[in-house]
Amino acid sequence: MESASDKHALERLGEVRANIARMCKPSRRKAEDVTLIAVSKTHPAERIIPLLEAGQRIFGENRVQEAQSKWPKLRDEYPDAQLHLIGQLQSNKAEEAVELFDVIHSLDRPSLLKELAKAMDKAGRRVPCFVQVNIGDEEQKGGCPIAELPEFLAKVREADIPLAGLMCLPPSGTEPAPFFAFLAKLAKDNGVAGLSMGMSSDYETAVQLGASHVRVGTALFGARE
């Protein structure tokens, strides 16, 4: 029997998908061109299963250790599920990340690039990566500095790491649209297609400005426990 929480999860998923489709229309994009990443960080497996049952297959986690604790079993039951790492990645966790994740959204520095390339060579698999850009030039935040982006992208390509696109986190408490538009311009200027931008509070704006991937947690799962 479907529980109330399961029903709410289905309703939220339908609403987010409908919003994405609506925001795609003005630019004549297809809703299928936007990848919805259900951010399942801090949520236990029993909260994730209703979305898997509803057909959602792409999920995002912030930490390698948390993903290791719940996703191997979930993937046994749902082998076509994909897992994206959306949080900061420590260089010493590169090998584990390459084994576990299908896409990494937080490649942002040469030391991590070196360790990821080494881990991919060892594992015999190439994991697509988004380069995280420090779009607001914030000291406390990860991300490649804007001025260093062209040189860093060249290094990523030289390392034979599949370049999925650019990712950003606009400064909190600010209007995100100018930052999303700037990331889109940086991608275009550097010959990069993918744009990982937008979360629960601003994913509609991100889609409107060209996001290829949106990272949505609260709007799908409700408030974190």
Side-chain angles (χ1 to χ4, degrees), residues 94-149:
E95 202 168 304
E96 293 164 273
V98 166
E99 288 175 5
L100 184 61
F101 291 95
D102 299 292
V103 182
I104 293 168
H105 288 245
S106 49
L107 174 54
D108 64 352
R109 59 196 187 278
S111 59
L112 179 58
L113 171 62
K114 180 182 176 182
E115 292 305 315
L116 281 172
K118 196 188 302 181
M120 290 182 200
D121 288 342
K122 183 178 178 181
R125 69 187 296 245
R126 314 311 285 180
V127 178
C129 292
F130 284 86
V131 168
Q132 182 175 349
V133 180
N134 189 345
I135 202 75
D137 194 24
E138 298 174 272
E139 283 185 21
Q140 77 280 13
K141 207 175 263 186
C144 177
I146 293 162
E148 297 172 17
L149 183 61

Side-chain angles (χ1 to χ4, degrees), residues 5 8-13 15-16 38-44 47-48 51 200 216-225:
S5 62
H8 289 322
L10 298 179
E11 289 172 353
R12 286 192 288 259
L13 179 60
E15 185 178 344
V16 170
V39 178
S40 49
K41 65 178 184 179
T42 76
H43 296 293
R47 296 285 305 279
I48 298 169
L51 288 177
S200 287
V216 179
T218 304
L220 290 172
F221 289 95
R224 286 179 212 157
E225 293 176 351

Side-chain angles (χ1 to χ4, degrees), residues 107 113 131 151-163:
L107 174 54
L113 171 62
V131 168
E151 182 184 355
F152 187 60
L153 289 174
K155 288 178 179 175
V156 174
R157 290 174 170 127
E158 284 168 18
D160 193 29
I161 289 179
L163 183 56

Side-chain angles (χ1 to χ4, degrees), residues 40-209:
S40 49
K41 65 178 184 179
T42 76
H43 296 293
E46 57 265 26
R47 296 285 305 279
I48 298 169
I49 289 171
L51 288 177
L52 283 161
E53 289 287 329
Q56 176 65 25
R57 284 295 178 270
I58 301 175
F59 292 82
E61 291 283 344
N62 253 34
R63 300 177 184 278
V64 172
Q65 196 168 348
E66 183 186 345
Q68 285 173 325
S69 71
K70 60 189 179 187
W71 275 99
K73 188 176 178 183
L74 284 170
R75 283 174 132 176
D76 284 343
E77 296 175 40
Y78 302 90
D80 57 341
Q82 288 186 32
L83 198 55
H84 291 223
L85 177 65
I86 60 170
Q88 287 299 110
L89 178 60
Q90 295 174 311
S91 295
N92 63 0
K93 295 282 186 183
E95 202 168 304
E96 293 164 273
V98 166
E99 288 175 5
L100 184 61
F101 291 95
D102 299 292
V103 182
I104 293 168
H105 288 245
S106 49
L107 174 54
D108 64 352
R109 59 196 187 278
S111 59
L112 179 58
L113 171 62
K114 180 182 176 182
E115 292 305 315
L116 281 172
K118 196 188 302 181
M120 290 182 200
D121 288 342
K122 183 178 178 181
R125 69 187 296 245
R126 314 311 285 180
V127 178
C129 292
F130 284 86
V131 168
Q132 182 175 349
V133 180
N134 189 345
I135 202 75
D137 194 24
E138 298 174 272
E139 283 185 21
Q140 77 280 13
K141 207 175 263 186
C144 177
I146 293 162
E148 297 172 17
L149 183 61
E151 182 184 355
F152 187 60
L153 289 174
K155 288 178 179 175
V156 174
R157 290 174 170 127
E158 284 168 18
D160 193 29
I161 289 179
L163 183 56
L166 303 182
M167 183 273 246
C168 78
L169 292 162
S172 59
T174 64
E175 167 56 47
F179 296 98
F180 293 155
F182 187 30
L183 191 75
K185 182 182 185 302
L186 288 172
K188 186 177 180 182
D189 290 348
N190 288 280
V192 178
L195 290 170
S196 171
M197 59 188 196
M199 299 185 290
S200 287
S201 61
D202 54 23
Y203 70 91
E204 293 174 65
T205 301
V207 171
Q208 199 172 22
L209 291 168

